[in-house]
């Protein structure tokens, strides 16, 4: 019995990631954290298991006058914040068009507002079957549907055909066709849509926008973009001069890029060739902000503006960020080389916090590995099931031998 309203009943329940990460923590208490491999956490940790934080960010934060950062920020964010966010995410690949931003609590806020404000009740948005689990929860919370397609085609490329099949289905049912892609450095696979694939995607989305019936909304979730390699921003330029009814929303997050996970700072940026559409974007999303979280963290915005306005600080920040990217890449290369050697299958990986080992028996293999004090997250169902290896959370010395152990556990499970 509960007094919860009907729509809230049955929500929640045990969270798989927190549950397994809880098992790892309990085991670490018993045998010492140096004796377990806890690859469950979606945060970049050092060899001692502590959160990696950036000195340049910490210095900027500490320099903020408390009376300023403790004060409310404007609902849409500080006036210079959207510009600083656009600069941080697009860098030298800024698309042409009207670019406006509304501050959000992390990337989550952008996803929430997009699903709320660009879909009607009960309508669906489309994403890849390997996706961040919160996408589904946000849709459920807002009474929207999440429709998925197989992420990869037979050649291991992005499954454009599968994606457009689902979009065509949506286009039949609803005026707004909403595609949500987490790339580059996808969670949980580490895949990135290539520039050539992007060209086809934008071309085909443009055709939908020009069909006289539908509008197109493309949400690009860039939560991990700063861990992707050089050249991974080129696709932004393809968002220039799109039809007026083709709106691009870029979800910018400072959680991973600035190691400011708990500061809940982000920005939803629109790119459109229609100034009125850009104004409507700001108005509606500012309203939603007011009606849900109100204003966002002020300190995070001030840090971003600090870097934006001070070239020396920005250069030092970017250099520090690059070091982090390279150290994460070393972990990935180590795992992928061993996986290749022992013939452990992985999803196509380019960069990012996670590597996924596809297996329909993910829960069984994860349980088998826990016997050896290796903790991984089993994800998805059916064809999109797999084990998520959070390389961000384990040091190089614990990565060595891991692919071999996963392969052996898979063979034991059969
Ligand atoms: C794919 C993806 N998108 C967005 C986010 C949002 O993170 P935040 O709200 O902390 O910026 C995450 C966080 O784990 C993520 O994995």
């Amino acid at each position: 019995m509960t007094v919860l309203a009907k729509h809230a009943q049955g929500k929640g329940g045990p969270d798989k990631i927190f549950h397994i990460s809880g098992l790892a923590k309990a085991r670490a208490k018993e045998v010492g954290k140096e004796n377990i491999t806890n690859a469950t956490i979606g945060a970049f940790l050092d060899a001692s298991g502590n959160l990696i934080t950036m000195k340049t960010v910490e210095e900027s934060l500490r320099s903020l006058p408390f009376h300023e950062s403790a004060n409310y920020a404007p609902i849409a964010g500080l006036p210079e914040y959207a510009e600083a966010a656009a600069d941080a995410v697009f860098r030298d690949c800024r698309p042409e068009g009207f670019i406006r931003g509304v501050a959000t609590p992390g990337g989550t806020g952008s996803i929430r507002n997009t699903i709320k404000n660009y879909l009607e009740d009960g309508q669906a948005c489309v994403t890849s079957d390997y996706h961040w689990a919160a996408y589904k929860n946000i849709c459920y919370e807002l009474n929207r549907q999440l429709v998925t397609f197989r992420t990869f085609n037979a050649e291991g490329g992005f499954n454009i055909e599968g994606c457009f099949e689902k979009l065509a289905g949506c286009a039949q049912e609803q005026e707004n066709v909403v595609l949500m892609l987490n790339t580059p450095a996808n969670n949980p696979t580490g895949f990135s849509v290539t520039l050539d694939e992007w060209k086809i995607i934008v071309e085909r989305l443009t055709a939908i926008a020009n069909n006289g019936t539908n509008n197109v909304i493309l949400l690009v979730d860039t939560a991990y973009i700063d861990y992707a390699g050089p050249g991974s921003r080129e696709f932004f330029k393809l968002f220039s001069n799109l039809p007026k009814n083709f709106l691009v929303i870029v979800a910018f997050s400072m959680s991973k890029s600035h190691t400011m996970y708990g500061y809940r700072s982000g920005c939803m940026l629109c790119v459109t060739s229609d100034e009125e559409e850009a104004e409507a974007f700001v108005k509606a999303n500012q309203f939603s902000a007011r009606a849900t979280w109100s204003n966002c963290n002020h300190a995070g915005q001030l840090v971003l503006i600090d870097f934006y306005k001070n070239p020396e600080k920005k250069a030092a920040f970017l250099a520090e960020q690059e070091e982090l990217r390279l150290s994460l890449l070393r972990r990935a290369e180590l795992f992928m080389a061993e996986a290749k050697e022992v013939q452990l299958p992985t999803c196509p990986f380019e960069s990012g916090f996670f590597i996924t080992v596809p297996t329909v028996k993910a829960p069984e293999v994860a349980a088998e590995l826990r016997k050896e004090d290796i903790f991984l997250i089993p994800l998805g169902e059916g064809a999109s099931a797999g084990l998520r290896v959070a390389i961000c959370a384990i040091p190089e010395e614990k990565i060595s031998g891991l692919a071999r152990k996963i392969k052996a556990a898979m063979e034991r499970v059969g």
Side-chain angles (χ1 to χ4, degrees), residues 356-378:
T356 291
V357 175
T359 160
V360 285
K361 295 207 173 151
E364 293 86 347
V365 181
E368 184 67 19
L369 284 162
R370 287 202 291 277
K371 293 181 192 160
E372 293 178 72
D373 289 329
I374 295 169
F375 296 83
L376 306 179
I377 303 290

Side-chain angles (χ1 to χ4, degrees), residues 126-128 147-151 158-172 177-181 193 196-209 211 214-218 246:
V126 174
T127 196
S128 52
V147 167
T148 63
F149 58 91
R150 294 288 296 273
T151 310
F158 180 71
N159 181 12
I160 297 174
E161 290 313 315
C163 173
F164 278 85
E165 210 175 285
K166 296 293 176 178
L167 291 172
C170 279
Q172 298 281 320
V177 171
V178 180
L179 173 63
M180 187 156 63
L181 292 179
V193 174
D196 283 345
E197 288 164 344
W198 265 121
K199 285 181 186 159
I200 301 170
I201 293 169
V202 172
E203 199 181 314
R204 291 181 67 168
L205 288 175
T206 302
I208 297 177
N211 70 8
N214 297 111
N215 305 312
V216 170
I217 293 91
L218 168 66
F246 183 160

Side-chain angles (χ1 to χ4, degrees), residues 17 28 32 34 52 79 82 86 105 145 167 191 262 295 375 381 413-414:
I17 298 186
E34 63 287 0
I52 294 177
Q145 314 289 321
L167 291 172
F191 90 86
N295 46 57
F375 296 83
E381 297 162 0
V413 167

Side-chain angles (χ1 to χ4, degrees), residues 105-108 111 132 135 182 187 221 223-224 253 255-256 264:
T108 307
I111 298 160
W132 185 40
Y135 284 2
N182 169 217
N187 172 8
D221 177 355
Y224 301 89
S253 163
S255 300
K256 283 90 185 168
R264 310 305 309 131

Side-chain angles (χ1 to χ4, degrees), residues 24 26-37 373 398:
R27 185 67 181 149
K29 267 197 185 147
E30 278 170 39
V31 297
K33 67 178 177 185
E34 63 287 0
N35 295 315
I36 73 160
T37 300
D373 289 329
K398 284 192 180 170

Side-chain angles (χ1 to χ4, degrees), residues 54 56-57 257-258 307 313-322:
M54 299 174 79
T56 47
V57 172
S257 61
H258 291 67
F307 291 151
K313 287 189 189 179
K314 184 175 164 185
F317 162 75
L318 289 176
E320 195 179 7
Q321 198 185 52
E322 183 63 1

